[in-house]
């Protein structure tokens, strides 16, 4: 049976990310390979958005030469920002972002999805790996191999106030199910050979 991870809400730092970046979408973590950040860059360039809307990539290190070449080619180098910091600074980004976007082709869990929800940040993520199981009905889904589909998700996060309010509400409710206390309880039960009530039998 499955024992999911938990999430603990970190208090955001006092910094105002909106003042620094304007309206922005947030990407968290490493960007190469299956993380699929290159597709998100193409989607940002393609989406019908205000040119003032940007993308903040938190963590994952400074941009590589190939990333800068791609951003220059797309004409969005000035709209993509790379930053690092501690957990409280990341929490401030979640708090202030127009949305957290996870375009990964695969995730075994996807903890940043829940971190974003805990800060009232609307989530758009790939319908891939464990992400739909973790986010359930509290995320806006897209096909991660389709930059046009990702672009549509960005546009909805930017323009559809009703959808955003619904995502925030459902996200705050969803994250309540993922506590470290529950993770510990289910781990102890697993060692004891006890199946949590309601879990399906393993195939």
């Amino acid at each position: 049976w499955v024992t999911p991870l938990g999430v603990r809400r970190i208090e955001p730092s006092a910094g105002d990310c909106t003042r620094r970046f304007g309206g922005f979408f947030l990407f968290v973590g490493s960007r190469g390979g299956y993380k699929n950040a290159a597709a998100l860059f193409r989607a940002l360039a393609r989406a019908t958005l205000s040119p003032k809307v940007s993308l903040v990539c938190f963590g994952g290190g400074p941009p590589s030469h190939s990333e800068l070449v791609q951003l220059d080619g797309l004409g969005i180098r000035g709209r993509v920002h790379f930053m690092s910091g501690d957990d409280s600074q990341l929490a401030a980004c979640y708090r202030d972002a127009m949305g957290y976007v996870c375009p990964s082709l695969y995730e075994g869990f996807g903890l940043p999805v829940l971190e974003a929800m805990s800060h009232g940040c609307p989530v758009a993520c790939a319908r891939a790996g464990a992400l739909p199981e973790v986010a359930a009905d509290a995320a806006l889904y897209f096909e991660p191999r389709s930059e046009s589909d990702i672009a549509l998700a960005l546009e909805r996060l930017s323009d559809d106030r009703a959808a955003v309010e619904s995502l925030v509400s459902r996200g705050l409710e969803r994250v309540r199910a993922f506590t470290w206390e529950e993770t510990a309880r289910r781990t102890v039960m697993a060692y004891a050979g006890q199946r949590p009530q309601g879990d399906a039998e393993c195939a």
Side-chain angles (χ1 to χ4, degrees):
W1 54 88
V2 176
T3 299
L5 300 176
V7 63
R8 180 173 64 90
R9 185 183 182 279
I10 302 295
E11 189 65 26
S13 65
D16 185 344
C17 300
T18 305
R19 179 174 296 179
R20 179 177 177 184
F21 300 115
F24 68 94
F25 299 111
L26 181 64
F27 176 96
V28 176
S30 60
R31 300 181 298 274
Y34 72 93
K35 294 296 187 177
N36 204 29
L40 179 55
F41 296 157
R42 293 192 295 271
L44 178 66
R46 178 172 183 153
T48 303
L49 299 167
S50 165
K52 295 181 179 180
V53 172
S54 64
L55 172 67
V56 172
C57 297
F58 191 102
S64 66
H65 174 71
S66 61
E67 285 178 320
L68 293 177
V69 169
Q70 181 190 17
L71 296 177
D72 282 336
L74 293 169
I76 59 170
R77 184 166 177 175
R79 296 174 60 195
V80 180
H81 311 284
F82 300 86
M83 69 171 292
S84 60
D86 60 23
D87 287 344
S88 66
Q89 290 171 302
L90 174 56
C93 287
Y94 284 132
R95 178 197 63 202
D96 296 339
M98 297 167 62
Y100 165 67
V101 186
C102 179
S104 293
L105 300 175
Y106 178 81
E107 289 290 341
F109 189 75
L111 192 57
V113 166
L114 297 177
E115 291 175 342
M117 290 177 181
S118 75
H119 290 282
C121 180
V123 171
C125 65
R127 192 177 294 280
L131 293 172
E133 183 179 355
V134 171
D137 67 347
L140 177 63
Y141 293 99
F142 53 77
E143 166 51 53
R145 297 186 186 276
S146 169
E147 61 192 59
S148 62
D149 208 25
I150 302 174
L152 286 173
L154 297 181
E155 291 168 4
R156 285 198 67 189
L157 288 177
S158 176
D159 300 331
D160 192 336
R161 182 177 297 275
V164 167
E165 290 177 353
S166 178
L167 287 171
V168 169
S169 176
R170 283 180 282 165
L172 290 170
E173 179 63 27
R174 179 63 178 164
V175 78
R176 292 173 60 189
F178 294 86
T179 66
W180 286 113
E181 289 79 10
E182 178 65 8
T183 300
R185 185 185 73 85
R186 293 170 71 99
T187 300
V188 169
M189 292 182 72
Y191 278 110
Q194 302 171 353
R195 185 179 304 280
Q197 188 175 4
D199 275 19
E201 291 292 331
C202 296

